[in-house]
Amino acid sequence: MRYLTAGESHGPGLTTIIEGLPAGMPLLAEDVNKELKRRQGGHGRGARMRIEKDQVQITAGIRHGKTLGAPVAMFVENKDWKHWETVMSIEPVPEKNEKSRRVSRPRPGHADLVGGMKYGHNDMRNVLERSSARETTVRVAAGAVAKKLLHELGIEVAGHVLEIGGTRANLKRAYAVSEIQETSEASPVRCLDEVAAEEMMQKIDDAKKNGDTIGGIVEVVVGGVPAGLGSYVQWDKKLDAKIARAIVSINAFKGAEFGVGFEAARKPGSEVMDEILWSKEDGYTRRTNNLGGFEGGMTNGMPIVVRGVMKPIPTLYKPLQSVDIDSKETFNASVERSDSCAVPAASVVAEAVVAWEVAVAVLEKFDGDRFDTLKKHVEEHRNLTKEF
């Protein structure tokens, strides 16, 4: 299973095409729209979210509420396009209009300058329109489809915010996936700790007031995962490596960790390895989940626990020093409409990309032509690994 996305931030809209879904899987537009709405929420979002009310148009691959086994095409319209029709026109426009919103002052920390150097664009709007986090709209749409597939197989995905601007949630126990879903959804910053959430919101407000931005850490938990997804036999077959790549592919994300993550470097092995247990009812489990559900690049049946770190958004209303690519003189960087903090929204994007990788791993391991056959094979595998 694979997908591509296309579209610019202020173009007519965003498109994704998914290939490789099994035939006969239930899928409705509302399954996708629910996730798109979640991506648009969260304390710290900017004016763009008041303009866009993302709704998906499914234009291929579904008939009467079920997948056909053919590619699924989805389109999300950009409502703001009407204000950018000349600037982002597909057809040539007079030169005076073409330069009306030309960007020649790259933003530090963004793709602007390097993208312009790479592709030879002297107007860096050609870069920033595609490198914008607006593209994650259709990644969330693709992730919504993956989450639907996983849900039908008894696999659930939840995300939440662990830290914003140095304020970290104080979580004294592990939360079930259903708890994370319910509690994070009720929080303006998708945080499970109400006290920390208040402080996070204050820090977001302070950053906005100062023309600044702040980042944070999100965590995704996947429950009900069968053991044996991924493989140890080649480096590129390891599922945790694929998930790490997916996390870091999200705009502004700079790192990923599983389970206790980098803390493992500070602990002895006896406090890191997860002791193996067995019972007739549950089969093989682990006493702890320090390794985040992975051993040897494969799922071990425990919940997947992965975290990603998001840097502050590089678009500042109090812009940093940059260099004009025409004159080579020092100027303040260009300012594009942006959020002061997008960490809560990014947790939804993280859910989507993790769900996608897990769904792909499921379809790599099991027969993916027919959804009814897939469900049967997954259940058979669960029973076999329990009795191993």
Side-chain angles (χ1 to χ4, degrees), residues 200-253:
M200 289 175 183
M201 286 189 283
Q202 185 60 54
K203 287 196 171 183
I204 292 170
D205 292 344
D206 291 344
K208 183 176 182 179
K209 190 183 304 181
N210 295 328
D212 215 333
T213 59
I214 52 177
I217 297 172
V218 303
E219 181 176 86
V220 177
V221 180
V222 188
V225 185
L229 300 182
S231 178
Y232 61 91
V233 300
Q234 290 289 353
W235 65 271
D236 59 345
K237 300 288 187 182
K238 297 187 176 192
L239 181 54
D240 51 358
K242 294 179 180 181
I243 290 174
R245 180 185 69 171
I247 286 287
V248 178
S249 78
I250 303 170
N251 305 56
F253 273 60

Side-chain angles (χ1 to χ4, degrees), residues 1-2 18-27 61-63 65-72 145-146 148-150 152-153 356 359-360 362-364 366-378:
M1 187 167 68
R2 59 179 180 161
I18 301 173
E19 184 181 49
L21 280 167
M25 186 187 91
L27 185 62
I62 309 287
R63 183 168 185 254
K66 290 191 175 180
T67 55
L68 299 174
V72 171
V145 175
K148 179 66 173 181
L149 183 148
L150 296 176
E152 295 289 327
L153 299 175
W356 179 267
V360 169
V362 167
L363 292 175
E364 285 178 349
F366 304 103
D367 181 1
D369 290 337
R370 293 175 45 164
F371 195 67
D372 56 353
T373 304
L374 174 64
K375 289 184 75 170
K376 179 183 175 184
H377 287 176
V378 171

Side-chain angles (χ1 to χ4, degrees), residues 101-253:
R101 288 194 176 177
R102 179 172 174 265
V103 176
S104 64
R105 299 175 185 178
R107 292 164 292 173
H110 210 285
D112 302 349
L113 178 59
V114 180
M117 294 164 64
K118 177 178 174 66
Y119 291 105
H121 295 308
N122 70 351
D123 180 355
M124 286 172 293
R125 181 161 300 286
N126 292 339
V127 178
L128 65 88
E129 285 288 334
R130 178 59 183 169
S131 65
S132 166
R134 177 74 183 147
E135 183 266 350
T136 63
T137 303
V138 280
R139 277 209 266 175
V140 168
V145 175
K147 288 177 80 171
K148 179 66 173 181
L149 183 148
L150 296 176
H151 173 75
E152 295 289 327
L153 299 175
I155 303 169
E156 298 293 343
V157 183
H160 64 103
V161 172
L162 266 181
E163 187 173 328
I164 289 179
T167 295
R168 192 176 181 92
N170 183 19
L171 306 181
K172 298 178 180 178
R173 62 178 178 86
Y175 284 71
V177 173
S178 58
E179 286 184 283
I180 297 172
Q181 290 172 331
E182 182 179 349
T183 307
S184 66
E185 210 64 23
S187 169
V189 285
R190 301 196 179 281
C191 182
L192 306 182
D193 178 352
E194 290 185 9
V195 175
E198 290 294 330
E199 189 174 334
M200 289 175 183
M201 286 189 283
Q202 185 60 54
K203 287 196 171 183
I204 292 170
D205 292 344
D206 291 344
K208 183 176 182 179
K209 190 183 304 181
N210 295 328
D212 215 333
T213 59
I214 52 177
I217 297 172
V218 303
E219 181 176 86
V220 177
V221 180
V222 188
V225 185
L229 300 182
S231 178
Y232 61 91
V233 300
Q234 290 289 353
W235 65 271
D236 59 345
K237 300 288 187 182
K238 297 187 176 192
L239 181 54
D240 51 358
K242 294 179 180 181
I243 290 174
R245 180 185 69 171
I247 286 287
V248 178
S249 78
I250 303 170
N251 305 56
F253 273 60

Side-chain angles (χ1 to χ4, degrees), residues 247-266:
I247 286 287
V248 178
S249 78
I250 303 170
N251 305 56
F253 273 60
K254 302 301 289 183
E257 65 177 9
F258 295 85
V260 295
F262 288 102
E263 190 61 30
R266 307 177 188 99

